[in-house]
Amino acid sequence: MKPAQISFVKECLPAALSAGAAFNMNPLAILAQAALESGWGTSNLARESRNYFGMSAYGCSNAYWHGGKTTVKGRSYSLDFRRYDTRENSFLDFARLIRNNYRSAWQVSNDPQAYAKEIAYSPYISELNGDNRESYRSSIIQVAQTIQAVMALVAPFTKER
């Protein structure tokens, strides 16, 4: 495990716990997807817009996303992504989306392998955009395992004495 992975878990675990509690979802599934989508929090979108899930700026604003946008320009296109005022709101908005729109994944979030399969083979992933469903599935599982190892490593140091 790398220092960036340890830092990511320490910094983002509280947001994942909050989102998990608010939407009855396994925080490990939330944190694993955030790590995968944001490159362990190193993506520009995560660092500059607190968007850890690559959530596009489509749809209506809600309690967690207040309509802020960040435009990412490619060679022949530009896409608008959500900009959040806090890291926690990014995690809460993601958990809200999964519970409301990807219920089959949400229902099995306590089983990382089942969650990975459900989310990878759902409309959340688009092969039209070049996404590889099987690669995404196995990546979620690998990231979840790394997060569990980091949590086991840092837990003894974070408990009150």
Side-chain angles (χ1 to χ4, degrees):
M1 83 193 60
K2 299 174 182 168
Q5 294 169 326
I6 295 168
S7 293
F8 175 85
V9 172
K10 286 181 177 179
E11 292 169 8
C12 295
L13 182 59
L17 290 169
S18 177
F23 291 96
N24 194 27
M25 188 173 170
N26 184 353
L28 177 60
I30 298 168
L31 199 56
Q33 204 152 355
L36 180 61
E37 294 283 351
S38 71
W40 294 93
T42 63
S43 72
N44 287 340
L45 207 52
R47 286 183 293 122
E48 297 170 10
S49 298
R50 291 172 293 284
N51 184 334
Y52 288 81
F53 301 92
M55 298 211 6
S56 63
Y58 299 108
C60 298
S61 59
N62 59 55
Y64 311 111
W65 175 57
H66 305 121
K69 297 177 183 179
T70 296
T71 301
V72 175
K73 296 183 183 202
R75 288 185 183 171
S76 60
Y77 65 91
S78 66
L79 295 172
D80 289 334
F81 291 91
R82 295 180 180 202
R83 185 176 62 247
Y84 295 94
D85 54 349
T86 66
R87 174 187 296 128
E88 186 171 326
N89 278 347
S90 175
F91 280 69
L92 286 162
D93 197 25
F94 172 77
R96 177 202 56 79
L97 175 77
I98 298 301
R99 187 202 60 194
N100 292 347
N101 295 55
Y102 302 96
R103 285 192 80 81
S104 62
W106 171 79
Q107 290 173 330
V108 297
S109 73
N110 283 323
D111 178 346
Q113 298 231 0
Y115 174 81
K117 183 177 181 183
E118 286 296 325
I119 202 66
Y121 287 89
S122 76
Y124 186 89
I125 300 300
S126 171
E127 290 174 327
L128 295 174
N129 292 336
D131 294 336
N132 180 312
R133 292 178 188 279
E134 188 54 28
S135 176
Y136 195 88
R137 183 198 66 77
S138 64
S139 294
I140 289 281
I141 293 167
Q142 289 173 334
V143 168
Q145 290 169 344
T146 300
I147 290 169
Q148 287 176 313
V150 169
M151 289 170 59
L153 177 71
V154 301
F157 300 104
T158 58
K159 291 183 180 171
E160 292 184 295
R161 298 185 179 179

